[in-house]
Amino acid sequence: MARVLPSSLTPHICILPSQDLEELLKSSALPSLHHILQSFSPLPQVTTRTTALTTVPHASFALRFSDLTEIEAACREDEEQRATRTIDWIGDRIGKRCAKWVDDFEKMNDQDVARTPWWDELRRCAEGDHIPARDEGWNHPMSIILAVSTTAPNPLQAITALHSRTLDFPSWVDVTHLIYTLIIHPKNSPLSDEEAGALFNAVRKQYGLHTYLLSLELPSPPPPPVSIPALVPRLPPPTISNGSADTVRPDLKTTQTVPLNTLRMSEQDIQQTARFAREFVTMNLVPWMEKCVIEWNEAYSSSRRLPSRLFSSTRRLFGTSSTTPMHAITPSLPGRSSTYAAPQSSVSGSTIPPPSQQRRLAEFATILGDFKLAVAVWESLRKEGKGGSDILPLLIAPSPAVQLHVSHALTTIHPQSAELHSHVQLRALLYAVRWESTLTIGDFLSDTLEGERWLVWAAGNAEEPPAALLLAHAALLSVRKNARRRAALWYFFAANRLEKCGIKPLTMYFLRRAHELSISRPDKLLSPSFWMSENKQPSDFEGFDAVMSGIEHPLGRLLYTTGDVSGAVRHFLGLLRWSSASSSPLAQLSSHTVDIAKDPSNSDQVFLEDFQVAISHLKSVSGEQARLADVKLPLRFVVPSQTCVRLARDSVEGEQSEWETREEIWSSFWKHRGKEKLERSGNAAVEEAFWVDITLHNPLETEVTLANPTMIVESSSGDAAWIRDNIAIETTKDTILYANESRTISIAIKASKPASLVITGVAYDFLGLLPTVESLARRGRRLQDTPQQRQTITYAPDEFLKLNVEEASQELAVAFVDDGPLVLAEGECKRMKLWISNAGSRDIGEVWVVPGPEDQLWIQPLDSGEGSATGIAWKTWRSDNKVVPPRPYSIPLAEKLVAAGSTEVTVVLHAGRKQKQNLSLLFIYREAEGSPFHCTRVTRSYEVVQCLQISTASHPSHSPNHSFSLSLDLTNILSSSNVEIDQVTTISANWTCSPLVELWPEPLRPSQSTRILFSATSAGDCTSVNAVSAFVSRKMTNVLHGQVIAPDDPPPLELLCGHVSQTFAYEPFVAHFIMDARRIAVSRTLAQSHPQIPTSSYPSIFPLYNPLSVDFVIFWKIPSEQRFGHILVSEIALGASHAVLREVLEGVESAKVKRSMYAETQREKTEMLQAIRDSEWNAEMNPVVVIVKDGLVREHDFSQGVCMVPVEFTIRNHSLSHPSRFVLRLDHRQQSSVCRHHFPAPYCGRTTFRGLLAPLQTTSVLAQLCATRPGTYALSGWRLETEVGEPDTEGGLWQVRHRYEQRAVTDDLSSIVVSDLSRL
Amino acid sequence: MSHHLFLLSPSDTPIYNLTHYSTKLPQPTSSSLSSNLPTWSTSAFAGTLTALSGASSATQSHHVQGGAVRMGGGQDRHVIQMIANASLDVIEDVMRKESAMYLKSVDKFNEWTVSAFVTPGNMKFILLHETKNDDGIRSFFHDVWELYLKTMLNPFHTAHSPIRSIVFDTRVRASAKKYL
């Protein structure tokens, strides 16, 4: 069974009817003859024979009939012009009908499976091309039927006239055709049946056997119409060039408009005509074709023999000329009347040859189903470059070669230039249609052929409707192949091209399809664990964002131009969701990298402008707002997490964290005293405006206007009407956000009644056109309470900004009386007045002030007068030795502060060391005991300048009377003022310090410095030292072992105070500030050195005073500026200590190592251990100091002999607790290198001294120096070995705790001078 | 002459893109057989000879359709992305058939040829290019793969996080300059 060929590859039969026949048909209400005959095609069950004489049955054998004059006229038209006309015609046909098609088609359920009407239309139009072409012979008439009727006055003459008519074909039309004569004999003919038979015989005799007498009834009232298959649409002839064409074929137009094709013929006539058609094909046409094939095949196979092939290919290689058309000499053609041949060439005037005989052979063989021969001939044609690639895919079995044929076929017709000519487009379209309609859909879409790509290739870059429809059909086929993304692309391309032709309904349909296909995501064969590991849902798909916007934007524009403005508005708005920063990963990338390929025309701006135009138009047209109700902005401008409420009284400066610290201080202070809560300060007062600070961020790359931004507020106490009446919400002016800008705007709200408000959202008009409400909800916390919540991510309900508005019943107003800029000298005590008034309606009975942890403040009690300085210099001072946490101060009130009452409080501020800072005071107040507290904030900034530069030094004393010498250096660094030093007080637990000189009474002038010397003596009582050491070592053990720290206090200390001036008058707040300054200094040091230990546990771990430390307090005064103050210097620790914590640390280090999972924990532990090892409590040093008595000048008469000089070494144990043993070895070789010019000391006699020193004990040894000549003798040649013993060992056994060895320091210049008396 | 590179996660989320403008001249696309012939004969028989040799009708068709929708220079970001997106269909098909990482030219859309590289972790690298340059693209893909692996060593980098590393970007650009 032969494959059914597309109708454009079927024999083309031209009919030349006589005038009388046309009239006859018209009178019988019948269309022209070729239309009638066309209805009988295809014929079923036709059998043909191949050259090998095998029979080929054809299930259907189609024919094409057309009017000869029409074809002749069409052949004269320029091919390119006709092609252009054809394409326009197709576009016109499709454009007219597509709106209905799209409507009908979209109602169908499965759009991907059905055949699309536009493709069918395109195919029929392409197949309907019946005008002979220059380069292929399919449309060249294969047979010409000369038809007459017996109604003619002289039928025989009519036949003769038809036969003698000259064919008006150009030279390139093949004249190989069968001439056939048809005599139609109607019943109402003037000729009887016999006469008709005689006529028939006469014609047969004269014009050959190809004659037929068709007798028809043709009843005069036409019978009811019989429906017949629709005719293939054909290109109407050009109307402008040939005005008469309209009259020639008026019925063509009717076939276009009348959907149902009918024929008004009686049953008998139909049978007669069918018989004629069958006979024409089987008896005449097919045998004639077979005969042609056999003849031509002979010629063809003879040319294929080896010599000729060799010859021709040699010639080809050497490029002499192209092969001559062998068809030019046509020896004998059967059934051909010589009448037709001669005048033909003269008509066209040019000598373009008709298609070659070989090609005709291939075409005839193809039609006859002799595919074996056809394939061979087509192959050889293809190899010679004369076409054939377009037909071969229809004939050979599916294989990869087919695809090559296809692409070659298209390559040969497509020119190299970018522009495609119309006839090329048409030819490509025809090829594509033939392939698509002939191959079975399974073959066509198979992976080897990939037929849908052929359509795309055929479409090329043409921008005409046929190309667009080819792409669309390729897309449809791709969907069937489940290549949905590719289908979307092709639909998009199709729409793109169709849009240029103005066929909007179909363009929109294609865009919608592309959109649907892009939205639907192909199934991915990914493991579920992939999504789990990524912590994402498979539905969180972020594809190529520009794909969607590229489809949606033209769709929106089309909707706008077709009048669906609200749809366009939605589309344009939807496009903004792909804006740069919102959701697209690629867009984020492109904004980050310097991508030169970035869209130069800002797409956001384009989208936004389109949206603006569309919505403005919509508003101007409809005017109603209701239709915009469901239009939602896909963007967010408000950043809820950065939105906050700002109250009027919050508007003081200062970091929020500082205030929080003060509130914490208060809450930890009040925790042990009562249950009363501190009411949050975040309550607004009635009739007092508060502001909502909204942070807006523009994610778009373009400028937007948010018009009339305002707040949406809900209240628990009333409905919307209540809110409208009682709460005034400001509407601010329009906000313009530039591209990617972030900005904070404030919106004021004032409530006239107490309420609890929930601020739910922000409302604004997007671009002043689209009313939008954005929620201010923040996502609640992640819930972790149940296993279910831990496994699937769950969040608490959304949170909103909430605010209570209350009656301002209690309000304290606090202000500094003097509010000028404040510049203080370091350590200055500044008296300031605070004016406190009750601004509320209820009394205030209790006021506290909370300063920061480093602010030193003293509140003057009520009863103390101005000049209450005491002249008593205290000798001792008992300290609880506790690092007390900072605490609030109560402000004494003489009586309750009634409403509008006020009072003044004096506070003294002691300036610290910081350069610039704020004094932030949190005032906490309440009505009476039991009522809750409220708070208010006051802040004042001040600056601190340094006036004195202070340095301290200490060294072991050479004097036997005291252990250490201390020196205090003070320099006035002020530029102009004199500083008076009035008093220096030393404070120490263990050391009694006394000044070695009197205080200089003169003030320190600028840049002048002074030195004050002190001696320090220990009382020798080391109980306090031991007690504190024991406390610290116990606490450190707890800390290092990670045990709970018991909240016990360190042992109290008795502090000894020494004073330089005995007549100094102390202000009452001095003691408070000294303790406070010490606390601040200690806390600061601890926070630096032990960051791992929380501040709150300092009091129970570290004592305030180290018993060995010595503090100086320097009281100064600048009379010219009326400033006074004091500075605490606590840098010195005297005396030796012996690694008190050594045992504890060793115990921790040798303990079994507990492994921790986390490296951080381990690291922290090591850091803590190191910090404790380096702390002052674990200090360790050599307690024994050697002092050589030097500078001695001895006169000696060396004539008397050598001089024996005694040298005294004083050895002192500075340890307060531990005894030491020492060995002093004298050896002049040990002496330091500095004393090169000195003689080494030649010791004689005993050079090794041993001894035991109790704590703080001093001993001296006397060595002999034997000077043999006068000179300077260096005394640095000694070495001391020390063993520190454990005190209080059992049984008095000596246990060595530390060993040391020391020599004289390298720059030791101690020496004695021996001069010779004899020389004098 | 521009190249467009996309890195796609296994779920086809783009995590990196690059547009590279090559300064190299396009290589001649004529087939080897016809280029061996003297010039005077190629024009007349080029079609026949290519058909005879059966060679690269694909390159020809590509050449012919070149300039169909000129979107070089990246003005039409969405068209480039659509093509990359559409090529995923073919890439998935080819992946099923071949086990190689470098899938060579898998698809063609107008003048764009799409080359792909699939890592063992199912990451897809897609390159849109206009001329044939198999070896260069192979080397380029291998470079990008190595750079991607280094990025993946970051424990906070998931398959979906866009690659914003400046270093990665610079190195990919350098590699593109070298090979493309």
Side-chain angles (χ1 to χ4, degrees):
Chain A
M1 187 72 72
R3 190 174 285 178
V4 178
L5 292 175
S7 67
S8 64
L9 302 186
T10 51
H12 186 197
I13 315 294
C14 288
I15 294 172
L16 182 65
S18 64
Q19 189 65 34
D20 54 283
L21 178 62
E22 282 180 10
E23 281 164 12
L24 170 72
L25 292 176
K26 204 179 269 180
S27 68
S28 313
L30 283 172
S32 47
L33 186 59
H34 65 273
H35 279 179
I36 300 174
L37 292 178
Q38 188 65 60
S39 331
F40 294 90
S41 159
L43 300 172
Q45 303 303 336
V46 175
T47 313
T48 58
R49 278 191 303 176
T50 66
T51 46
L53 299 181
T54 45
T55 53
V56 182
H58 295 260
S60 77
F61 191 88
L63 297 170
R64 288 179 294 163
F65 294 92
S66 49
D67 190 84
L68 179 67
T69 49
E70 193 187 318
I71 299 296
E72 281 173 346
C75 283
R76 281 195 294 276
E77 192 185 359
D78 181 47
E79 202 167 339
E80 176 67 25
Q81 192 188 341
R82 192 178 64 238
T84 312
R85 221 157 48 80
T86 314
I87 287 174
D88 292 346
W89 170 68
I90 294 176
D92 194 39
R93 279 177 73 92
I94 288 170
K96 273 182 191 157
R97 303 207 216 159
C98 62
K100 188 174 180 327
W101 283 341
V102 169
D103 278 353
D104 293 346
F105 197 68
E106 286 200 324
K107 287 172 194 152
M108 293 172 64
N109 288 331
D110 201 349
Q111 299 179 15
D112 293 333
V113 176
R115 293 192 70 88
T116 50
W118 42 90
W119 173 250
D120 283 344
E121 179 70 20
L122 177 73
R123 206 180 50 159
R124 281 155 52 81
C125 287
E127 290 274 279
D129 176 34
H130 59 296
I131 315 294
R134 286 171 197 239
D135 46 0
E136 58 172 35
W138 297 108
N139 287 342
H140 292 225
M142 199 163 279
S143 170
I144 293 176
I145 295 178
L146 306 169
V148 292
S149 73
T150 52
T151 52
N154 185 353
L156 192 61
Q157 193 187 355
I159 293 168
T160 317
L162 287 181
H163 272 278
S164 59
R165 183 181 177 276
T166 311
L167 280 185
D168 194 12
F169 280 126
S171 67
W172 45 265
V173 176
D174 193 5
V175 288
T176 316
H177 44 231
L178 172 74
I179 302 288
Y180 194 89
T181 315
L182 172 67
I183 304 162
I184 293 177
H185 176 58
K187 198 146 195 194
N188 57 357
S189 162
L191 265 65
S192 65
D193 287 356
E194 291 77 27
E195 286 168 333
L199 176 69
F200 171 66
N201 287 331
V203 173
R204 273 177 79 131
K205 200 167 182 183
Q206 192 173 348
Y207 297 106
L209 294 174
H210 301 300
T211 311
Y212 190 84
L213 178 70
L214 176 61
S215 301
L216 293 176
E217 293 274 333
L218 297 183
S220 63
V226 179
S227 67
I228 53 166
L231 294 180
V232 173
R234 288 184 170 179
L235 176 70
T239 49
I240 302 155
S241 59
N242 188 358
S244 63
D246 263 9
T247 52
V248 174
R249 291 270 71 88
D251 51 315
L252 262 182
K253 292 201 169 166
T254 55
T255 53
Q256 279 182 19
T257 46
V258 177
L260 201 64
N261 202 10
T262 55
L263 199 62
R264 308 187 75 161
M265 277 178 102
S266 66
E267 188 61 31
Q268 199 181 351
D269 288 354
I270 290 173
Q271 280 176 10
Q272 287 289 339
T273 318
R275 190 179 303 147
F276 156 68
R278 187 155 194 89
E279 192 163 310
F280 169 68
V281 171
T282 53
M283 306 292 284
N284 300 289
L285 186 65
V286 169
W288 176 78
M289 286 172 77
E290 285 168 357
K291 195 174 175 190
C292 287
V293 166
I294 289 168
E295 269 186 31
W296 291 338
N297 188 28
E298 283 291 316
Y300 163 72
S301 38
S302 65
S303 74
R304 300 296 295 172
R305 283 184 201 115
L306 190 58
S308 68
R309 278 169 71 192
L310 257 185
F311 176 64
S312 73
S313 61
T314 323
R315 198 173 47 184
R316 214 163 46 226
L317 274 176
F318 287 93
T320 44
S321 77
S322 61
T323 43
T324 49
M326 305 216 295
H327 188 50
I329 25 155
T330 44
S332 71
L333 285 171
R336 173 165 188 182
S337 144
S338 59
T339 333
Y340 290 92
Q344 208 172 13
S345 55
S346 66
V347 174
S348 77
S350 61
T351 50
I352 302 169
S356 69
Q357 192 189 59
Q358 207 174 333
R359 186 179 171 95
R360 296 293 283 166
L361 167 65
E363 286 171 1
F364 275 42
T366 309
I367 293 172
L368 289 176
D370 187 357
F371 290 157
K372 195 177 164 191
L373 174 66
V375 168
V377 181
W378 283 123
E379 276 286 348
S380 71
L381 277 173
R382 182 184 67 77
K383 284 174 189 164
E384 288 165 22
K386 291 176 189 165
S389 315
D390 55 325
I391 301 298
L392 279 168
L394 309 178
L395 305 180
I396 59 177
S399 68
V402 173
Q403 209 172 11
L404 291 180
H405 285 310
V406 165
S407 76
H408 182 239
L410 292 169
T411 312
T412 46
I413 58 165
H414 280 160
Q416 297 291 318
S417 66
E419 195 66 28
L420 279 187
H421 293 294
S422 302
H423 77 270
V424 173
Q425 289 182 35
L426 204 60
R427 181 55 48 85
L429 168 69
L430 193 59
Y431 288 177
V433 164
R434 283 179 191 160
W435 296 324
E436 197 271 344
S437 57
T438 310
L439 297 179
T440 60
I441 194 76
D443 285 346
F444 195 63
L445 293 183
S446 67
D447 284 345
T448 37
L449 296 192
E450 292 196 307
E452 75 275 10
R453 287 176 183 273
W454 304 355
L455 306 186
V456 178
W457 296 342
N461 59 356
E463 298 195 335
E464 302 289 344
L469 292 179
L470 279 172
L471 284 170
H473 193 63
L476 183 82
L477 295 175
S478 291
V479 174
R480 289 191 204 163
K481 278 185 82 174
N482 210 15
R484 302 174 78 87
R485 289 171 283 205
R486 194 166 58 215
L489 175 74
W490 283 340
Y491 268 129
F492 174 73
F493 280 167
N496 208 359
R497 294 182 194 189
L498 214 51
E499 192 188 1
K500 291 171 186 156
C501 313
I503 303 180
K504 279 175 186 159
L506 209 50
T507 311
M508 275 160 62
Y509 173 76
F510 290 161
L511 282 175
R512 278 199 296 273
R513 288 295 297 148
H515 192 233
E516 281 168 30
L517 291 167
S518 305
I519 285 176
S520 73
R521 234 188 122 211
D523 292 334
K524 302 289 293 182
L525 297 172
L526 287 176
S527 156
S529 10
F530 172 76
W531 297 106
M532 280 164 72
S533 71
E534 289 286 308
N535 195 19
K536 281 191 153 211
Q537 295 300 314
S539 52
D540 300 346
F541 174 58
E542 291 168 341
F544 289 95
D545 58 309
V547 172
M548 296 306 284
S549 58
I551 296 171
E552 284 176 7
H553 189 222
L555 194 54
R557 284 193 162 184
L558 276 171
L559 283 174
Y560 181 66
T561 50
T562 51
D564 185 2
V565 185
S566 68
V569 164
R570 283 174 181 79
H571 265 99
F572 290 140
L573 206 55
L575 283 170
L576 294 178
R577 73 181 183 276
W578 304 109
S579 72
S580 342
S582 51
S583 55
S584 146
L586 274 184
Q588 289 172 13
L589 280 174
S590 61
S591 64
H592 142 76
T593 53
V594 192
D595 198 349
I596 37 177
K598 214 179 157 208
D599 212 347
S601 60
N602 187 342
S603 55
D604 283 348
Q605 195 179 350
V606 174
F607 298 158
L608 214 57
E609 276 169 8
D610 282 351
F611 166 72
Q612 209 163 358
V613 168
I615 196 166
S616 311
H617 179 67
L618 182 65
K619 285 197 165 183
S620 69
V621 169
S622 62
E624 45 164 341
Q625 300 292 312
R627 292 176 65 188
L628 290 175
D630 58 329
V631 179
K632 289 271 180 293
L633 197 64
L635 294 171
R636 287 192 70 98
F637 288 97
V638 179
V639 187
S641 60
Q642 290 174 23
T643 300
C644 59
V645 172
R646 186 159 50 83
L647 299 176
R649 47 185 111 166
D650 289 348
S651 59
V652 288
E653 304 139 37
E655 291 278 322
Q656 188 59 32
S657 61
E658 282 192 17
W659 296 114
E660 278 166 11
T661 321
R662 281 156 184 74
E663 282 177 19
E664 272 168 31
I665 292 174
W666 169 258
S667 59
S668 59
F669 168 75
W670 196 253
K671 197 162 57 186
H672 309 294
R673 286 170 177 77
K675 297 270 182 207
E676 295 90 344
K677 269 198 197 159
L678 173 64
E679 294 283 325
R680 305 300 304 172
S681 53
N683 281 0
V686 168
E687 291 298 346
E688 183 188 73
F690 62 92
W691 290 269
V692 182
D693 288 345
I694 306 161
T695 304
L696 298 171
H697 174 70
N698 180 8
L700 299 175
E701 288 283 336
T702 182
E703 174 184 313
V704 291
T705 308
L706 307 182
N708 311 323
T710 187
M711 305 300 306
I712 306 288
V713 172
E714 284 175 10
S715 170
S716 54
S717 39
D719 56 359
W722 187 89
I723 287 177
R724 217 170 24 251
D725 293 344
N726 293 303
I727 293 172
I729 302 172
E730 182 198 26
T731 301
T732 54
K733 58 183 188 302
D734 296 359
T735 307
I736 297 171
L737 290 175
Y738 298 102
N740 293 323
E741 191 197 357
S742 287
R743 190 192 296 177
T744 305
I745 60 167
S746 300
I747 293 176
I749 298 179
K750 194 192 264 185
S752 52
K753 280 188 183 162
S756 143
L757 300 179
V758 181
I759 297 163
T760 53
V762 181
Y764 55 85
D765 293 345
F766 180 59
L767 301 178
L769 295 166
L770 180 69
T772 308
V773 174
E774 269 191 56
S775 166
L776 281 175
R778 307 174 201 193
R779 190 166 68 186
R781 66 181 180 88
R782 169 96 191 263
L783 296 178
Q784 307 268 19
D785 304 334
T786 62
Q788 183 65 25
Q789 287 170 346
R790 285 189 287 271
Q791 280 153 17
T792 54
I793 300 169
T794 330
Y795 294 96
D798 286 350
E799 289 168 3
F800 290 96
L801 278 181
K802 285 182 184 146
L803 188 75
N804 288 326
V805 181
E806 57 184 18
E807 293 282 358
S809 58
Q810 266 201 324
E811 198 176 334
L812 189 73
V814 183
F816 285 99
V817 173
D818 167 32
D819 212 7
L822 201 55
V823 180
L824 302 176
E826 185 190 344
E828 184 179 343
C829 298
K830 176 77 179 172
R831 272 204 173 80
M832 292 188 290
K833 289 209 160 127
L834 277 171
W835 186 77
I836 298 177
S837 65
N838 186 354
S841 54
R842 290 160 73 182
D843 299 348
I844 290 172
E846 194 176 341
V847 181
W848 295 79
V849 58
V850 190
E854 296 208 354
D855 293 334
Q856 298 178 48
L857 208 64
W858 185 76
I859 314 287
Q860 187 163 319
L862 281 179
D863 48 355
S864 66
E866 272 292 314
S868 61
T870 52
I872 312 139
W874 58 87
K875 284 288 178 199
T876 60
W877 190 6
R878 191 164 180 82
S879 161
D880 57 1
N881 207 13
K882 196 174 162 186
V883 190
V884 281
R887 49 191 292 178
Y889 306 105
S890 171
I891 290 183
L893 294 175
E895 54 190 0
K896 278 190 174 177
L897 269 182
V898 292
S902 65
T903 183
E904 252 186 21
V905 178
T906 307
V907 295
V908 180
L909 173 71
H910 184 231
R913 210 169 264 185
K914 268 199 203 163
Q915 293 295 306
K916 253 189 176 176
Q917 55 185 345
N918 277 339
L919 176 65
S920 306
L921 301 177
L922 181 70
F923 283 85
I924 290 174
Y925 53 92
R926 62 174 172 178
E927 189 177 0
E929 213 163 291
S931 57
F933 287 101
H934 299 269
C935 65
T936 184
R937 298 164 176 184
V938 176
T939 189
R940 185 164 187 193
S941 64
Y942 60 95
E943 203 179 328
V944 178
V945 291
Q946 211 181 353
C947 61
L948 285 175
Q949 201 174 40
I950 304 168
S951 61
T952 56
S954 69
H955 49 87
S957 172
H958 285 206
S959 156
N961 300 330
H962 46 265
S963 317
F964 289 95
S965 302
L966 304 175
S967 68
L968 179 68
D969 289 315
L970 304 170
T971 309
N972 177 6
I973 56 169
L974 291 176
S975 55
S976 55
S977 306
N978 298 344
V979 179
E980 280 180 20
I981 307 296
D982 292 339
Q983 169 72 300
V984 177
T985 301
T986 61
I987 303 168
S988 174
N990 220 337
W991 303 98
T992 313
C993 302
S994 45
L996 293 176
V997 286
E998 278 293 307
L999 203 57
W1000 190 253
E1002 287 294 312
L1004 275 178
R1005 306 200 187 279
S1007 302
Q1008 205 176 21
S1009 62
T1010 183
R1011 171 175 287 185
I1012 307 166
L1013 294 172
F1014 292 89
S1015 65
T1017 323
S1018 172
D1021 178 19
C1022 63
T1023 45
S1024 63
V1025 179
N1026 288 344
V1028 170
S1029 297
F1031 172 79
V1032 169
S1033 99
R1034 181 159 52 84
K1035 290 294 179 181
M1036 288 299 174
T1037 316
N1038 290 351
V1039 168
L1040 288 172
H1041 284 100
Q1043 292 157 343
V1044 180
I1045 312 289
D1048 50 347
D1049 295 339
L1053 277 184
E1054 193 80 18
L1055 299 174
L1056 308 170
C1057 303
H1059 309 279
V1060 177
S1061 164
Q1062 299 303 323
T1063 58
F1064 183 73
Y1066 293 96
E1067 295 282 351
F1069 44 76
V1070 166
H1072 167 75
F1073 282 145
I1074 289 173
M1075 293 297 274
D1076 222 23
R1078 173 82 196 178
R1079 171 186 65 80
I1080 291 167
V1082 167
S1083 303
R1084 201 181 284 161
T1085 319
L1086 289 177
Q1088 268 176 13
S1089 53
H1090 303 281
Q1092 282 86 10
I1093 298 175
T1095 321
S1096 54
S1097 52
Y1098 288 165
S1100 44
I1101 298 177
F1102 298 104
L1104 183 63
Y1105 280 95
N1106 184 345
L1108 297 180
S1109 69
V1110 178
D1111 285 3
F1112 290 105
V1113 185
I1114 299 121
F1115 292 86
W1116 53 266
K1117 192 156 78 187
I1118 305 175
S1120 60
E1121 297 174 19
Q1122 286 155 7
R1123 296 174 189 274
F1124 67 96
H1126 61 266
I1127 301 171
L1128 176 81
V1129 180
S1130 52
E1131 291 166 352
I1132 301 176
L1134 299 176
S1137 49
H1138 305 284
V1140 180
L1141 302 176
R1142 188 176 73 169
E1143 285 78 15
V1144 177
L1145 291 168
E1146 277 172 1
V1148 170
E1149 280 178 338
S1150 61
K1152 196 178 163 193
V1153 183
K1154 265 195 217 160
R1155 281 185 177 277
S1156 166
M1157 194 172 139
Y1158 302 105
E1160 285 84 354
T1161 316
Q1162 209 64 37
R1163 203 156 52 227
E1164 269 181 18
K1165 274 187 179 170
T1166 323
E1167 276 169 15
M1168 192 156 71
L1169 194 67
Q1170 193 57 40
I1172 290 174
R1173 195 194 302 278
D1174 295 343
S1175 71
E1176 59 174 329
W1177 305 105
N1178 193 34
E1180 182 230 306
M1181 64 208 74
N1182 187 353
V1184 177
V1185 173
V1186 175
I1187 300 158
V1188 186
K1189 196 171 180 184
D1190 71 335
L1192 201 68
V1193 178
R1194 181 73 176 265
E1195 292 174 344
H1196 181 70
D1197 186 1
F1198 279 95
S1199 57
Q1200 304 285 319
V1202 296
C1203 175
M1204 301 295 282
V1205 188
V1207 182
E1208 190 186 359
F1209 290 87
T1210 309
I1211 300 157
R1212 174 174 287 185
N1213 184 4
H1214 283 291
S1215 172
L1216 289 173
S1217 49
H1218 289 58
S1220 296
R1221 285 206 298 216
F1222 70 91
V1223 179
L1224 178 71
R1225 298 177 203 277
L1226 303 175
D1227 184 357
H1228 61 83
R1229 281 167 300 185
Q1230 306 274 345
Q1231 83 176 38
S1232 62
S1233 57
V1234 182
C1235 325
R1236 278 199 305 275
H1237 309 300
H1238 299 178
F1239 296 122
Y1243 293 108
C1244 63
R1246 189 177 170 194
T1247 55
T1248 305
F1249 304 89
R1250 293 169 197 278
L1252 175 67
L1253 289 172
L1256 293 174
Q1257 194 191 350
T1258 311
T1259 186
S1260 31
V1261 296
L1262 212 57
Q1264 290 287 330
L1265 188 147
C1266 181
T1268 53
R1269 50 182 169 162
T1272 310
Y1273 291 87
L1275 294 179
S1276 52
W1278 53 265
R1279 184 159 64 96
L1280 180 75
E1281 288 162 28
T1282 318
E1283 281 180 357
V1284 179
E1286 295 281 5
D1288 310 328
T1289 48
E1290 285 177 27
L1293 282 175
W1294 182 258
Q1295 279 183 8
V1296 180
R1297 187 174 172 86
H1298 301 284
R1299 280 180 217 279
Y1300 302 95
E1301 186 192 277
Q1302 60 173 323
R1303 294 155 204 270
V1305 286
T1306 46
D1307 55 349
D1308 188 359
L1309 285 172
S1310 57
S1311 57
I1312 59 168
V1313 178
V1314 181
S1315 57
D1316 191 358
L1317 263 182
S1318 59
R1319 291 203 183 166
L1320 294 172
Chain B
M1 277 292 291
S2 55
H3 293 84
H4 299 271
L5 171 74
F6 294 94
L7 266 59
L8 303 181
S9 75
S11 58
D12 298 343
T13 302
I15 60 169
Y16 177 78
N17 77 334
L18 170 85
T19 305
H20 171 75
Y21 295 93
S22 172
T23 49
K24 288 179 188 169
L25 287 171
Q27 295 174 352
T29 50
S30 56
S31 73
S32 56
L33 183 52
S34 53
S35 61
N36 288 339
L37 290 165
T39 44
W40 47 262
S41 69
T42 46
S43 59
F45 301 105
T48 320
L49 284 167
T50 31
L52 278 174
S53 62
S56 67
S57 53
T59 49
Q60 287 220 344
S61 78
H62 145 232
H63 203 75
V64 162
Q65 297 181 14
V69 185
R70 281 304 302 184
M71 72 271 296
Q75 290 97 349
D76 279 346
R77 196 164 68 99
H78 62 273
V79 176
I80 298 290
Q81 290 196 14
M82 269 183 199
I83 292 176
N85 187 42
S87 68
L88 288 171
D89 280 329
V90 183
I91 292 171
E92 280 170 14
D93 278 352
V94 178
M95 272 165 64
R96 274 193 281 277
K97 290 178 205 153
E98 290 184 23
S99 57
M101 287 198 283
Y102 178 41
L103 303 180
K104 297 191 179 159
S105 316
V106 285
D107 208 354
K108 285 187 180 64
F109 292 92
N110 297 332
E111 78 268 39
W112 294 108
T113 309
V114 183
S115 290
F117 184 92
V118 182
T119 70
N122 212 359
M123 282 287 302
K124 297 185 194 82
F125 302 168
I126 296 179
L127 183 75
L128 270 64
H129 53 102
E130 287 167 285
T131 48
K132 200 170 152 68
N133 178 16
D134 256 358
D135 293 334
I137 291 169
R138 179 195 300 274
S139 317
F140 173 65
F141 274 149
H142 274 277
D143 266 19
V144 175
W145 183 33
E146 191 174 329
L147 294 170
Y148 173 70
L149 284 183
K150 285 178 184 163
T151 311
M152 277 300 281
L153 289 179
N154 178 355
F156 297 103
H157 194 276
T158 68
H160 284 104
S161 26
I163 302 178
R164 295 207 180 80
S165 156
I166 305 281
V167 179
F168 180 85
D169 190 61
T170 320
R171 293 199 179 155
V172 170
R173 278 171 199 275
S175 176
K177 205 172 173 184
K178 187 173 167 192
Y179 293 114
L180 299 181

